[in-house]
Amino acid sequence: MRKILFKIHSWIALIAIIPLIVISITGSVLVFKSEIDGLLMPDSHFVVKALPERIAIDKLIAKAEHAYPEYLVGSWEIFNNDTADRVYLVKRGTEQWYKFHLNQYTGDILSEPVDTSHYFTDWFLELHYTFLLNDLKSLPGQTGTVLGFFFALFLLILGITGLIIYRKFWQRLFSVRWRATLQIVLSDIHKMTGVIGSPIIIILAITGGYFNWAVWYHEVIEHAEEEHFVLTKKLHSADISFQDILDNSKQQITTFNSTFLVMPLEPDENITVFGEVKTANPFASEYANTVTYNKLTGDHMVNWDIREVGIGWQVIDSFRKLHFGYFAGLTSKILWCVIGLSPVWLAGTGFYLWFTRRKRKKQSQVNRYKKRHATNA
């Protein structure tokens, strides 16, 4: 069984080596996405909190609609700190999404609408999940998403098989035979890196694979027999006060803090406010809870409190923080970044070990052939 697992481990690693290196490098960089955005575009990413309270969101929405009448506000990412609000727009009559930054304390527009993959980290995110294949006209729409799922599955298999194959390596986990040959040294380092990193790699593979599967399922299965709805006008009533909705959402769920406002994007959808709550669960995401309102009347409809649902939903919600590693602040981010890069080292050492074994095996076959030939002579 160990030999079979070793072959599976080796061949999957060889087949998926390049995509896994891409996933590894991009994922480790994206752990610090917010920090990198702040460095690359400080004037639009950060704001000076000049006023103690945000401007009413109805005024902010009106300003966005007046500035960009050819677009419709699709969703609004809400911040109550020094991070600027991010406004997501849909160009009328298309399925094209754009975003810009807005100062929630002054109402100043800080950037022009750009494609959602325009900025470096957003482009990197697209590369991480889809290898930039989803937008290629020569390929089906979700090709990159599907490939991303399978490579996440390959990474999961590599993590599990590696732990099984080298399970006894725990006995001498940090003992590398430095005075041995290069092959033995690299083999020990490969095993040590894999055994230490595999638990986190397995988490990254499961969570990343789930995200890709969820996107594919929504786009291909749920919308398989229907055309995508294209927005040409607002689907909610013009009389609705979104500030009243945000204020009311705090009354619906205890300690609720709104983080994301989503407008109805299809005829059967309503207004949804996503948010975070105080909980003992460190993995609960900032989008774990929702409050839904009728798009025509603004009346409250239903709540979703992550503290009151089953463990399965709580586990799925935890995938966001577990995948990007920000559940324990800078400490977990650094750990996730370092371990996230381990597949690069594992790929390099693994390929070297495979190549030297293959070379040694061929040389052994040549030696046996020469010996046989000499004996017959």
Side-chain angles (χ1 to χ4, degrees):
M1 178 60 70
R2 186 176 180 276
K3 288 182 179 180
I4 294 173
L5 289 178
F6 184 80
K7 287 184 178 181
I8 293 173
H9 186 88
S10 300
W11 281 110
I12 287 180
L14 286 171
I15 292 169
I17 184 170
I18 300 301
L20 291 182
I21 287 175
V22 172
I23 291 173
S24 173
I25 294 174
T26 54
S28 293
V29 171
L30 288 167
V31 167
F32 295 99
K33 184 181 188 301
S34 180
E35 291 81 357
I36 294 171
D37 283 341
L39 289 173
L40 296 180
M41 43 184 185
D43 294 335
S44 58
H45 184 77
F46 291 118
V47 295
V48 176
K49 196 172 179 179
L51 300 173
E53 299 291 336
R54 296 170 50 93
I55 292 178
I57 198 164
D58 292 312
K59 293 183 178 179
L60 298 178
I61 292 174
K63 182 152 190 175
E65 292 175 339
H66 180 265
Y68 306 112
E70 68 273 30
Y71 299 90
L72 292 165
V73 175
S75 57
W76 197 290
E77 196 164 6
I78 301 167
F79 292 96
N80 294 303
N81 49 27
D82 61 352
T83 301
D85 276 13
R86 287 192 281 267
V87 186
Y88 294 87
L89 306 172
V90 183
K91 195 167 187 178
R92 292 178 186 268
T94 74
E95 296 183 63
Q96 298 173 357
W97 281 81
Y98 299 81
K99 74 172 182 178
F100 71 94
H101 300 81
L102 180 143
N103 188 322
Q104 61 269 39
Y105 304 106
T106 65
D108 294 334
I109 293 175
L110 305 177
S111 65
E112 293 298 314
V114 295
D115 184 87
T116 52
S117 59
H118 171 81
Y119 296 112
F120 169 72
T121 55
D122 295 324
W123 179 84
F124 235 46
L125 185 64
E126 190 72 15
L127 176 62
H128 180 73
Y129 279 116
T130 70
F131 306 101
L132 307 178
L133 297 177
N134 279 4
D135 294 331
L136 293 180
K137 295 181 180 179
S138 58
L139 296 173
Q142 295 300 315
T143 298
T145 303
V146 173
L147 286 176
F149 168 79
F150 279 106
F151 287 125
L153 183 61
F154 290 162
L155 187 61
L156 175 62
I157 295 172
L158 288 173
I160 294 173
T161 55
L163 279 178
I164 297 174
I165 294 168
Y166 303 122
R167 60 188 181 278
K168 293 183 179 179
F169 195 76
W170 286 104
Q171 299 171 3
R172 49 184 182 84
L173 183 57
F174 296 103
S175 58
V176 177
R177 291 167 287 181
W178 296 107
R179 296 184 179 181
T181 63
L182 177 61
Q183 184 177 354
I184 292 175
V185 172
L186 290 180
S187 177
D188 284 354
I189 294 176
H190 183 89
K191 295 172 186 176
M192 181 178 68
T193 304
V195 170
I196 293 174
S198 281
I200 294 177
I201 292 299
I202 289 172
I203 290 173
L204 294 175
I206 292 174
T207 54
Y210 170 80
F211 291 144
N212 280 60
W213 174 83
V215 171
W216 173 83
Y217 183 84
H218 174 75
E219 294 294 331
V220 177
I221 302 301
E222 291 186 346
H223 292 279
E225 298 181 357
E226 61 184 55
E227 293 184 5
H228 280 216
F229 181 78
V230 178
L231 278 174
T232 57
K233 62 180 181 178
K234 292 186 288 188
L235 299 181
H236 58 82
S237 170
D239 298 328
I240 285 178
S241 169
F242 287 98
Q243 187 59 50
D244 288 347
I245 284 177
L246 293 182
D247 292 340
N248 180 266
S249 66
K250 296 178 181 179
Q251 310 302 318
Q252 298 298 330
I253 300 179
T254 307
T255 71
F256 183 82
N257 177 48
S258 55
T259 59
F260 207 75
L261 172 65
V262 180
M263 311 299 185
L265 303 174
E266 297 186 8
D268 59 346
E269 293 181 349
N270 286 285
I271 300 166
T272 304
V273 183
F274 290 79
E276 57 191 357
V277 295
K278 292 182 180 179
T279 172
N281 178 11
F283 303 116
S285 78
E286 59 270 42
Y287 309 108
N289 310 268
T290 61
V291 186
T292 304
Y293 294 85
N294 187 284
K295 63 186 174 187
L296 300 178
T297 64
D299 294 336
H300 170 258
M301 296 178 66
V302 67
N303 301 333
W304 174 274
D305 189 336
I306 196 65
R307 297 166 296 188
E308 299 176 358
V309 299
I311 186 65
W313 289 110
Q314 294 183 37
V315 169
I316 291 175
D317 173 67
S318 72
F319 282 4
R320 181 177 178 82
K321 283 190 174 180
L322 283 173
H323 191 74
F324 291 102
Y326 62 98
F327 54 88
L330 185 60
T331 301
S332 58
K333 281 190 171 188
I334 293 174
L335 179 62
W336 251 236
C337 178
V338 173
I339 298 299
L341 282 173
S342 64
V344 177
W345 173 255
L346 290 170
T349 54
F351 182 80
Y352 175 82
L353 294 172
W354 170 82
F355 183 77
T356 52
R357 279 195 299 268
R358 186 169 178 269
K359 187 176 179 181
R360 191 172 63 249
K361 185 177 180 180
K362 282 190 173 183
Q363 186 60 49
S364 177
Q365 290 174 344
V366 171
N367 292 339
R368 285 199 301 270
Y369 173 79
K370 288 181 178 179
K371 185 178 181 180
R372 236 182 1 254
H373 186 72
T375 302
N376 292 335

